[in-house]
């Protein structure tokens, strides 16, 4: 019989968790035990600190529901989500980089035509996002579905607004034969991540900025290519260099060019000023 000591407890726990029948589960859990024990030793974790952490995790679970994913937010602000994305999407340097999905994507967005307005009736400066979807050789990719979503001018996503029954600032656009797409929306603003929960409690104890720079989300799917989850960020936006979820990448920053009232890319007329941005998404073939 081997009795437990402070010196052998890590080895004993690793041996136990190494019995997981699935080899990958054994690998992940034994590494988790080693790193957790090393962490506790390094910071000389006290019982009061351990209990505070358990209560924080409990609150994180309790505040989560189908519309609020506080554990994902935790992973996002710790930089873990972006690390996992980057390790698992080592794309060709010429391909559009991937970013986090974030907690606000909603399935089943309405399908809109080229240039149709996904911001109908909402305030804001009209913004046309245009470009093409291409492969690494530069060939246009027709029939790619761009699932697009963003926050409103108050920084709120549809899932944060109670009792809403219409899609709001989200839509699916399909590329034409020449790979082109055109999204009509309103210019997004930077916004704060939800600060009224356990993640906000922790961030409030630091000098960390809790804002994200102005951006629009894209999830691009087309048969034969790796799905691409990414964002486009507005050039010159606040918080570009301090994004609280580490999502910004230089390649994804685009100019929102201001335009005078007049003819817009969809052939319509804008009575007020509007903006346009161009971006060509480059997809990589499915491995
Ligand atoms: C978002 O951009 O929607 C987002 C991503 C991660 C955390 C919070 C918000
Ligand atoms: Fe967002």
């Amino acid at each position: 019989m081997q009795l437990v000591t402070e010196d052998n407890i890590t080895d004993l726990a690793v041996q136990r968790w190494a019995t997981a029948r699935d080899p990958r589960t054994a690998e992940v859990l034994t590494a988790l035990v080693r790193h957790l024990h090393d962490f506790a030793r390094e910071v000389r974790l006290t019982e009061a600190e351990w209990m505070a952490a358990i209560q924080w995790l409990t609150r994180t679970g309790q505040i989560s529901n189908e519309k609020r994913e506080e554990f994902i937010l935790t992973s996002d602000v710790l930089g873990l989500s972006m690390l996992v994305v980057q390790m698992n999407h080592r794309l060709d340097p010429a391909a559009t980089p991937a970013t986090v999905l974030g907690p606000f994507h909603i399935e089943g967005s309405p399908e809109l035509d080229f240039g149709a307005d996904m911001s109908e009736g909402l305030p804001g400066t009209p913004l046309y996002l245009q470009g093409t979807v291409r492969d690494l050789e530069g060939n246009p990719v027709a029939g790619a579905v761009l699932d697009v979503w963003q926050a409103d001018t108050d920084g709120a996503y549809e899932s944060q607004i109670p009792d809403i029954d219409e899609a709001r600032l989200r839509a699916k656009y399909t590329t034409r034969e020449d790979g082109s797409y055109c999204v009509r929306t309103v210019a997004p603003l930077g916004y704060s991540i939800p600060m009224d929960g356990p993640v906000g409690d922790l961030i409030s104890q630091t000098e960390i900025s809790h804002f994200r720079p102005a951006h629009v989300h894209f999830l691009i799917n087309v048969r034969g290519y790796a799905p691409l989850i990414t964002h486009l960020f507005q050039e010159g936006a606040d918080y570009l260099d301090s994004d609280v979820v580490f999502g910004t990448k230089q390649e994804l920053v685009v100019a929102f060019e201001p335009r005078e009232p007049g003819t817009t890319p969809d052939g319509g007329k804008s009575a007020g000023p509007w903006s346009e941005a161009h971006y060509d998404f480059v997809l990589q073939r499915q491995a």
Side-chain angles (χ1 to χ4, degrees), residues 113-261:
D113 289 338
F114 186 89
D117 188 0
M118 72 170 201
S119 64
E120 198 110 48
L122 293 172
T125 307
L127 170 68
Y128 289 84
L129 296 166
Q130 311 170 75
T132 56
V133 177
R134 299 191 169 273
D135 66 15
L136 281 172
E137 288 75 47
N139 304 307
V141 178
V145 177
L146 284 70
D147 191 344
V148 188
W149 70 104
Q150 69 171 84
D152 66 16
T153 47
D154 290 326
Y157 281 86
E158 184 189 312
S159 66
Q160 297 175 298
I161 302 171
D163 303 328
I164 195 166
D165 42 41
E166 270 188 3
R168 196 169 191 274
L169 286 171
R170 62 185 174 96
K172 287 181 179 170
Y173 295 84
T174 304
T175 54
R176 303 194 291 193
E177 276 310 303
D178 61 355
S180 61
Y181 70 90
C182 178
V183 175
R184 157 69 161 94
T185 183
V186 286
L189 294 179
Y191 60 84
S192 167
I193 56 161
M195 287 293 286
D196 58 347
V199 170
D201 291 347
L202 274 193
I203 290 199
S204 308
Q205 297 176 41
T206 71
E207 298 298 320
I208 296 171
S209 155
H210 49 94
F211 290 91
R212 299 214 64 205
H215 62 271
V216 178
H217 295 262
F218 292 81
L219 166 51
I220 305 181
N221 264 303
V222 57
R223 187 193 291 268
Y225 293 86
L228 174 67
I229 297 171
T230 195
H231 306 40
L232 293 182
F233 296 91
Q234 180 181 11
E235 189 180 272
D238 291 337
Y239 319 115
L240 271 178
D241 56 1
S242 62
D243 182 7
V244 62
V245 304
F246 304 92
T248 40
K249 289 192 162 279
Q250 189 56 47
E251 302 95 305
L252 299 174
V253 177
V254 292
F256 289 11
E257 307 276 0
R259 299 281 181 249
E260 297 298 322

Side-chain angles (χ1 to χ4, degrees), residues 259-275:
R259 299 281 181 249
E260 297 298 322
T263 308
T264 51
D266 55 351
K269 285 230 177 297
S270 178
W274 53 283
S275 297

